[in-house]
Amino acid sequence: MLTSPAAVGRSKPTAYLPPKPLGLLVVLLSIPLLSYGQEKANYNIGFLIDVASPEVAPLLDLLQNEIIAVVGEDATISFPDSSLLVNGFDVALAERQYQTLIDNDTDIIIAFGPVNNEIVSRQTVHRKPTILFGALNQDLIEIDENRETSGIDNFTYLITSQSYQQDLTTFKTLYDFNRVGVIVAGPQLMAQRIQNALDPIFADLGAAYDLISYTSARSLDPYLSQIDAVYLAEGFSIPSAELDTMAALLIVNGLPSFTATRREDVERGWMATNQAEENIEQFFRRIALTVEAVVNGENLSTQPLFIEYSETLTLNYNTATRVDVPIKYSLIATTDIVGDFDDMLAEQTYSLLDVMQEVIAGNLTLETRRKDIELAQQDVKSAKSTYLPNVTGSASGVYIDPELAELSNGQNPEYSTDGNVTLTQTIFSEAANANISIQKSLLKAQQEDFNAEELDLILDASNAYFNVLILKANVQIQKQNLEVTKRNLKIAEQNFEVGQSGQADVLRFRSEMAQNMQALIEAINQLSQGFHVFNLLLNNPIDLKVNVEDAVITEGVFEDYDYEQFRLLLDDPSQSEVFVDFLVEEALKNAPELKVLDYNIEATERNILLNGYRRFIPTVAAQAQYNRTFDQWGTGALPSDVILKDNYNIGLNLSIPIFNQNRENIDRQTALVQRSQLELSKENTALALERNVRDAVFDLTNQIANIELSQVSEATAAQSLALTETAYSNGAVSIVQLIDAQRNLLQAELARASATYNYLLSAIILERTLGYYFLLHSDAENQAFIERFVDYQSRFGTQR
């Protein structure tokens, strides 16, 4: 271990200073660097790196531009291709390459990697200014905390504030792991150093670990069954494609992950990192400032060692969801959440059509109403059963006092057994006919009542579907708004540091951040509640993980059923009026609410007829009875040969109600009042339907305008916020104006996100009023609807 940087100057063996996060940045040194000259002193910069990677070209441009920009007019900076040397972890080659840069025209040496660290650190004298970097991890070195510079002539190195202990402690907060697979990509000497650092860290955390030497994405395979989490401690030499493969493998196996590499790796699938987005810029700036110090004649022995990085947790929401790691509310304020809230892990994903069909098939409320229809069917059967024959049989055994039996002359023997069968049959009954008719009408009314309930539930399910979409958009927007507040807080802190604004601005933005965090938490909880309602309507387990497909007017089922054409019809004033009249006519024709009233009126009218003159229609019934004497004995019994054992009788019964306590007249007057009441209800329902249709159309036209205006409003608000942020950072506007601009953008984004959903929901509400859902009807039925409109337009459109 490096006990003191000064030890290098005393010829003591020095330990390797391995790279830590941001190592990938340094691999950019593998790509040939460009140069452009000036008529000033020229400085050739040579690079010593351990491994090259093809992913670093953009980062190379950033570093090169940063060095040239910082040095500015003070000198000409060149990056000769011949001075960019890669050793491939070969110690002997690294020694030769170092000597090459010492012997050639290189002016400044920048070295990176564990092998180069070993070579450079053992030098007793640094003949050329040498910068050793690679984001050295605090856990791997021993250094006096009070030391701020190297104190070694022509030599400095860079140490970051990050550490494995911080990473693993944060990881433990996110997920309570027991055994972690720690991945290290690099030479064996680096793995040994890391193991020495990790032993006490894991002991403090009360967990175990397996050190995994990385050779390929399948290096994890032998460990997958014995670990419950993965930490990528050193991965600067791993290509991005292999990192992506590892991330996907970990997700499939349900393993939470934490990486010490770039924030971009979390965006691409790793679960979390402590690397902040701006750390790369800070790192490049420090390298450039160190080069500038050399150009200005300063000795590297006086340059600062430490780079204090921002400690910002970055968490991939989608990965965390897939590996079942909940996001703790306490971390939201200090966490950058990346990922798409729309990309959810779901056992079932629904389109709007799926939702409609599912609620029809499985909703429990609807199933209850189906039972009402079955009960009404039973009432019809019961009414019809009046015309079914009624057959009864009976048997009896009789004992009579012997003295009485003796006086009966054989009519009532002391002992006798008898039996009979009786049949009664209603031949004609006006009351039975009326009851059958009434029950049939009530059955039809019950069916229409069910249809109305079904239409309502389809609307409720559609509303739940669009509500989930709106809530998902709200979560995404609230997350983005929180990120904007964090960005503005940094601007306020910078302004405060340079004296451009007061601390009140910083405190105000911290208050805003707390409010934004609460809004995000509420949005997440509201989304969960929205899914609960959704599952309830579809008769799913409440906690079932479901998702819904996005709804776009010109895509999917909405394109197939031409909702865009629907919008265009309403948007054209020359056609909208006749179209609305047609819709009113269709609603009156289809409305189950009106049909329920019609069938109830029909039943009431039949009751009026029954209790009017038809009550005098006679009821006709037939009756037959067969009797048999089985046996008789004892006193008074006749001989068996003279007993009449069998006999029967047949009768026809006709009855006319003449006066029954005036009940028929009372019942008729009651039915007349009921019919009048139902007719008034029908008239009122028809008016309400027409009003609902026209209100729904007005709402649709409002939503059409809202779609267009919300897009303009959002674009304008975004541009205004960008300008206001720039002005605030320059001290040109107050914090109040900046917060107003941010809130204005928030409201504009929410309005834009919900505009399309509200339009489609308004269309579904109109369809409910019409009693006709286009998505649930065939193409032929929908074409017939269009043809009816064309016919209506040809008949009535010219009259306007």
Side-chain angles (χ1 to χ4, degrees):
M1 296 293 272
L2 182 63
T3 57
S4 170
V8 176
R10 295 196 297 269
S11 302
K12 275 188 157 184
T14 57
Y16 122 86
L17 299 176
K20 170 66 174 91
L22 293 178
L24 183 57
L25 308 178
V26 184
V27 182
L28 56 83
L29 306 177
S30 65
I31 301 179
L33 300 172
L34 303 176
S35 64
Y36 48 86
Q38 300 177 7
E39 297 179 359
K40 303 247 178 163
N42 183 76
Y43 284 82
N44 293 325
I45 297 180
F47 294 95
L48 297 174
I49 63 176
D50 285 351
V51 66
S53 174
E55 287 86 5
V56 296
L59 298 177
L60 170 63
D61 292 337
L62 290 175
L63 178 59
Q64 175 184 342
N65 293 335
E66 186 70 16
I67 293 175
I68 293 174
V70 169
V71 174
E73 298 296 323
D74 293 342
T76 300
I77 302 298
S78 300
F79 306 97
D81 293 345
S82 59
S83 295
L84 175 59
L85 306 177
V86 182
N87 63 54
F89 297 121
D90 186 326
V91 176
L93 178 59
E95 289 179 342
R96 294 195 298 272
Q97 290 174 345
Y98 175 75
Q99 192 60 45
T100 297
L101 295 187
I102 292 295
D103 295 338
N104 67 14
D105 60 354
T106 297
D107 298 300
I108 301 173
I109 299 174
I110 299 178
F112 166 78
V115 174
N116 284 315
N117 190 329
E118 191 76 11
I119 300 302
V120 173
S121 296
R122 71 171 64 151
Q123 304 303 313
T124 58
V125 176
H126 297 276
R127 293 164 51 189
K128 293 182 179 181
T130 303
I131 304 169
L132 181 62
F133 77 103
L136 304 185
N137 192 297
Q138 287 188 357
D139 298 323
L140 299 178
I141 62 174
E142 294 177 3
I143 187 170
D144 183 354
E145 293 183 357
N146 296 321
R147 178 180 290 279
E148 297 181 355
T149 64
S150 71
I152 303 172
D153 184 48
N154 265 351
F155 178 69
T156 191
Y157 48 93
L158 304 180
I159 303 173
T160 71
S161 59
Q162 294 178 334
S163 72
Y164 300 132
Q165 185 168 16
Q166 288 175 332
D167 283 355
L168 290 166
T169 300
T170 302
F171 195 10
K172 187 75 170 178
T173 302
L174 287 174
Y175 176 70
D176 189 18
F177 51 73
N178 294 309
R179 192 175 193 88
V180 181
V182 180
I183 301 174
V184 176
Q188 185 61 36
L189 62 92
M190 180 164 60
Q192 185 59 51
R193 299 286 187 185
I194 292 174
Q195 184 172 1
N196 293 338
L198 292 180
D199 286 343
I201 295 174
F202 275 96
D204 290 342
L205 294 174
Y209 74 97
D210 292 307
L211 197 63
I212 304 173
S213 181
Y214 179 87
T215 56
S216 72
R218 310 306 304 185
S219 299
L220 280 75
D221 289 355
Y223 301 91
L224 292 176
S225 62
Q226 63 192 53
I227 59 177
D228 61 353
V230 169
Y231 174 50
L232 180 56
E234 299 293 342
F236 68 93
S237 62
I238 303 177
S240 295
E242 294 187 26
L243 287 173
D244 294 347
T245 301
M246 268 198 294
L249 177 67
L250 296 176
I251 291 173
V252 169
N253 286 274
L255 294 175
S257 59
F258 201 99
T259 178
T261 58
R262 302 174 303 170
R263 183 180 189 272
E264 289 79 356
D265 295 324
V266 173
E267 293 175 348
R268 295 164 62 139
W270 286 78
M271 191 183 80
T273 185
N274 270 335
Q275 290 282 356
E277 188 172 14
E278 64 275 9
N279 285 357
I280 183 173
E281 300 175 1
Q282 190 176 355
F283 187 77
F284 284 170
R285 175 57 61 90
R286 172 57 66 84
I287 295 173
L289 289 172
T290 305
V291 171
E292 182 191 33
V294 175
V295 171
N296 291 334
E298 298 180 29
N299 195 298
L300 289 180
S301 64
T302 63
Q303 296 305 301
L305 303 178
F306 288 94
I307 303 177
E308 293 293 335
Y309 280 158
S310 299
E311 296 180 5
T312 302
L313 174 65
T314 300
L315 181 73
N316 188 309
Y317 168 81
N318 303 119
T319 300
T321 301
R322 283 169 169 76
V323 298
D324 201 24
V325 174
I327 301 176
K328 296 184 178 180
Y329 295 144
S330 59
L331 295 175
I332 291 179
T334 57
T335 302
D336 285 336
I337 300 176
V338 300
D340 186 359
F341 280 88
D342 187 53
D343 183 19
M344 296 180 173
L345 181 64
E347 299 176 42
Q348 178 72 40
T349 300
Y350 293 90
S351 68
L352 179 57
L353 181 57
D354 294 333
V355 171
M356 290 180 170
Q357 293 172 339
E358 189 89 4
V359 75
I360 291 173
N363 181 267
L364 294 180
T365 300
L366 211 56
E367 285 299 311
T368 302
R369 301 308 294 270
R370 283 193 179 94
K371 297 301 180 182
D372 290 339
I373 295 177
E374 293 179 14
L375 291 174
Q377 290 171 338
Q378 294 303 114
D379 290 339
V380 172
K381 291 179 181 179
S382 179
K384 288 182 177 180
S385 69
T386 303
Y387 280 106
L388 295 177
N390 181 24
V391 180
T392 59
S394 64
S396 63
V398 179
Y399 169 76
I400 296 178
D401 182 277
E403 295 181 357
L404 181 61
E406 185 176 4
L407 296 175
S408 68
N409 295 320
Q411 297 298 315
N412 292 303
E414 183 180 1
Y415 298 98
S416 65
T417 57
D418 304 279
N420 65 75
V421 176
T422 303
L423 180 147
T424 58
Q425 172 69 57
T426 300
I427 298 175
F428 178 84
S429 171
E430 178 60 17
N433 292 344
N435 189 35
I436 292 172
S437 178
I438 289 170
Q439 294 304 323
K440 285 182 177 180
S441 296
L442 294 178
L443 172 61
K444 293 176 182 178
Q446 189 64 57
Q447 179 64 57
E448 293 301 329
D449 190 53
F450 171 83
N451 292 341
E453 183 72 22
E454 185 178 70
L455 292 172
D456 287 338
L457 277 171
I458 292 172
L459 175 60
D460 290 343
S462 301
N463 187 43
Y465 171 88
F466 286 112
N467 187 50
V468 167
L469 286 175
I470 291 172
L471 291 173
K472 284 171 62 179
N474 182 40
V475 170
Q476 193 74 17
I477 291 169
Q478 294 294 348
K479 181 178 81 72
Q480 293 169 357
N481 185 56
L482 179 59
E483 297 305 317
V484 171
T485 300
K486 291 177 182 178
R487 184 176 72 236
N488 289 336
L489 173 59
K490 290 179 181 178
I491 296 175
E493 290 172 340
Q494 292 168 358
N495 285 355
F496 174 65
E497 289 172 0
V498 299
Q500 195 164 283
S501 64
Q503 191 177 14
D505 285 9
V506 176
L507 297 176
R508 176 69 183 275
F509 270 119
R510 287 177 181 170
S511 175
E512 283 289 313
M513 187 171 69
Q515 295 175 30
N516 294 162
M517 181 180 67
Q518 181 62 34
L520 177 58
I521 293 172
E522 290 176 357
I524 293 172
N525 289 335
Q526 287 170 358
L527 178 59
S528 298
Q529 293 171 344
F531 277 121
H532 291 167
V533 173
F534 185 84
N535 281 329
L536 176 64
L537 286 168
L538 270 59
N539 193 26
N540 290 331
I542 294 299
D543 59 350
L544 180 69
K545 294 181 179 179
V546 297
N547 199 4
V548 295
E549 295 178 0
D550 197 10
V552 181
I553 296 176
T554 56
E555 296 179 9
V557 294
F558 302 103
E559 180 183 20
D560 296 338
Y561 289 89
D562 210 0
Y563 276 80
E564 176 67 10
Q565 182 62 33
F566 198 51
R567 184 182 72 84
L568 294 176
L569 271 174
L570 294 175
D571 195 36
D572 184 356
S574 64
Q575 299 188 70
S576 60
E577 187 174 350
V578 65
F579 185 53
V580 170
D581 289 343
F582 167 73
L583 294 178
V584 170
E585 183 177 282
E586 285 290 310
L588 294 175
K589 181 177 67 175
N590 296 332
E593 295 86 355
L594 289 178
K595 293 177 181 179
V596 168
L597 293 170
D598 283 337
Y599 288 126
N600 277 285
I601 290 173
E602 184 179 280
T604 303
E605 289 178 339
R606 188 64 182 86
N607 195 27
I608 292 171
L609 289 175
L610 172 64
N611 291 287
Y613 70 89
R614 289 195 177 187
R615 72 176 184 269
F616 296 113
I617 298 176
T619 298
V620 180
Q623 179 175 333
Q625 181 170 319
Y626 168 77
N627 304 299
R628 180 177 179 80
T629 299
F630 297 114
D631 196 8
Q632 56 179 254
W633 65 94
T635 304
L638 298 174
S640 60
D641 57 342
V642 298
I643 297 174
L644 182 62
K645 292 187 175 182
D646 299 289
N647 64 86
Y648 63 91
N649 61 77
I650 298 174
L652 186 66
N653 180 48
L654 186 149
S655 64
I656 300 175
I658 297 175
F659 187 80
N660 183 23
Q661 300 174 333
N662 201 34
R663 288 186 179 276
E664 286 80 3
N665 285 330
I666 294 173
D667 290 344
R668 182 174 181 276
Q669 291 168 2
T670 301
L672 288 171
V673 173
Q674 290 173 337
R675 183 179 66 179
S676 176
Q677 183 185 43
L678 290 169
E679 287 173 343
L680 289 172
S681 295
K682 180 181 177 181
E683 183 179 353
N684 183 61
T685 301
L687 290 172
L689 276 172
E690 181 174 357
R691 186 203 65 191
N692 291 341
V693 170
R694 296 186 183 279
D695 287 349
V697 169
F698 285 137
D699 188 45
L700 265 178
T701 55
N702 290 337
Q703 297 302 334
I704 291 171
N706 190 34
I707 290 175
E708 304 298 332
L709 295 175
S710 64
Q711 292 173 349
V712 175
S713 177
E714 181 185 25
T716 303
Q719 184 178 8
S720 174
L721 177 60
L723 293 173
T724 306
E725 284 180 338
T726 302
Y728 177 76
S729 64
N730 295 327
V733 298
S734 69
I735 187 175
V736 175
Q737 291 171 282
L738 179 55
I739 291 176
D740 285 345
Q742 182 180 339
R743 291 178 177 175
N744 186 40
L745 176 60
L746 173 64
Q747 296 304 318
E749 287 176 334
L750 291 173
R752 189 270 311 157
S754 60
T756 298
Y757 303 144
N758 285 334
Y759 166 74
L760 291 172
L761 178 57
S762 296
I764 298 297
I765 292 173
L766 176 58
E767 291 176 22
R768 165 60 189 96
T769 307
L770 295 177
Y772 184 96
Y773 289 109
F774 290 95
L775 291 177
L776 294 176
H777 288 80
S778 66
D779 292 342
E781 291 171 325
N782 290 334
Q783 184 60 36
F785 182 92
I786 295 173
E787 290 173 358
R788 289 198 299 274
F789 168 63
V790 171
D791 177 66
Y792 185 91
Q793 188 179 37
S794 65
R795 288 186 291 116
F796 299 102
T798 57
Q799 301 176 12
R800 299 182 183 278

